[in-house]
C-alpha cells in the first residue's frame, strides 16, 4: 500500500450525519484512531449530535455494525475502525479479507459510502505507527468520510 496520502480539501461537515463503528480488540490503538477521526470531523464542523459511535468486539463485527447503524440513522457516511495485527495464525488475514469485502457490500447495498478504517499490520510497531504514531490514519479516514459524504449529498440530490 502507498504511503502517499491524497491531498486534503476543505469540506464543511456541518450538514453531515456520520456513523462510526469501532472495534474493541486492540482497544488502545482503536481508541486513538477513534479520537483522531472524531477530532478531524469536529474540526470540519460535524455536530456532536450528528455523530453516532458504537463499539463492537472485533473487526469481524464491523460490517454488521455499520449496516445496522446505516439502517437506523440514515447517515451520509459510515466509518468502520479496527486494528488487525498478525498473530501466530492467518486468522487476522481472513478477518481482514472478509471485513474488507463485507464493508464494500454494505456500502453498495445501503447506497451509503463506508470508509474502511481497519488498519492491518504485520507487527505491533507497524500498528502503533499508524495509530498515534507518525502516520495519522485517523485523520485520513475522517477526510475520506467528509469527501464521500459531500459526494453523496451532491449526487443524491440529482437522482
Ligand atoms: C479473534 C481476533 C484476533 C485473533 N485478532 C483480532 C485483531 O487483531 N483485531 C480485531 O479487531 N479482532 C481480532 N479478533 C476478533 C475478531 O475480529 C472477532 O471479534 C471474533 O472472531 C468474533 O467474531
Amino acid at each position: 500500500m502507498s504511503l502517499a496520502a491524497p491531498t486534503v480539501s476543505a469540506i464543511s461537515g456541518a450538514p453531515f450525519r456520520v456513523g462510526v463503528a469501532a472495534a474493541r480488540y486492540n482497544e488502545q490503538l482503536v481508541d486513538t484512531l477513534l479520537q483522531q477521526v472524531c477530532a478531524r470531523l469536529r474540526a470540519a464542523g460535524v455536530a456532536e449530535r450528528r455523530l453516532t459511535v458504537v463499539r463492537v468486539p472485533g473487526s469481524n463485527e464491523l460490517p454488521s455494525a455499520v449496516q445496522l447503524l446505516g439502517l437506523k440513522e440514515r447517515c451520509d457516511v459510515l466509518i468502520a475502525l479496527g486494528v488487525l495485527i498478525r498473530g501466530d495464525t492467518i486468522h487476522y488475514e481472513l478477518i481482514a479479507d472478509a471485513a474488507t469485502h463485507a464493508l464494500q457490500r454494505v456500502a453498495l447495498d445501503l447506497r451509503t459510502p463506508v470508509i474502511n478504517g481497519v488498519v492491518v499490520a504485520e507487527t505491533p510497531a507497524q500498528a502503533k505507527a499508524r495509530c498515534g504514531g507518525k502516520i495519522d490514519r485517523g485523520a485520513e479516514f475522517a477526510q475520506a468520510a467528509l469527501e464521500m459524504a459531500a459526494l453523496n449529498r451532491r449526487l443524491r440530490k440529482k437522482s
Side-chain angles (χ1 to χ4, degrees):
M1 296 279 274
S2 173
L3 292 177
T7 51
V8 173
S9 52
I11 294 168
S12 167
F16 302 149
R17 192 174 288 280
V18 183
V20 183
R24 287 199 314 275
Y25 223 95
N26 299 312
E27 195 160 10
Q28 281 189 352
L29 296 170
V30 180
D31 283 352
T32 303
L33 272 185
L34 182 59
Q35 282 160 18
Q36 291 172 332
V37 166
C38 291
R40 176 59 72 95
L41 293 177
R42 285 187 197 110
V46 175
E48 210 62 52
R49 67 179 188 287
R50 294 206 174 100
L51 182 57
T52 306
V53 178
V54 297
R55 298 304 292 253
V56 294
S59 295
N60 194 52
E61 285 64 57
L62 289 171
S64 320
V66 290
Q67 186 182 47
L68 291 167
L69 254 182
L71 289 169
K72 185 173 181 290
E73 302 283 345
R74 296 178 61 83
C75 297
D76 295 288
V77 67
L78 296 156
I79 304 173
L81 297 177
V83 175
L84 281 158
I85 305 176
R86 178 192 276 278
D88 291 338
T89 68
I90 60 160
H91 197 174
Y92 87 112
E93 214 172 305
L94 299 179
I95 294 173
D97 210 38
T100 298
H101 285 103
L103 289 172
Q104 292 286 23
R105 210 186 85 202
V106 171
L108 299 178
D109 287 353
L110 287 184
R111 299 183 186 197
T112 303
V114 175
I115 304 305
N116 183 343
V118 180
V119 169
V120 184
E122 293 287 319
T123 62
Q126 278 182 358
K128 277 184 199 146
R130 286 155 179 79
C131 308
K134 282 189 178 160
I135 305 167
D136 190 346
R137 281 285 184 260
E140 282 178 33
F141 298 147
Q143 185 61 30
L146 290 165
E147 274 188 44
M148 293 309 292
L151 188 72
N152 189 7
R153 288 250 168 163
R154 199 166 74 237
L155 298 185
R156 271 210 178 169
K157 271 189 196 153
K158 291 179 184 163
S159 63

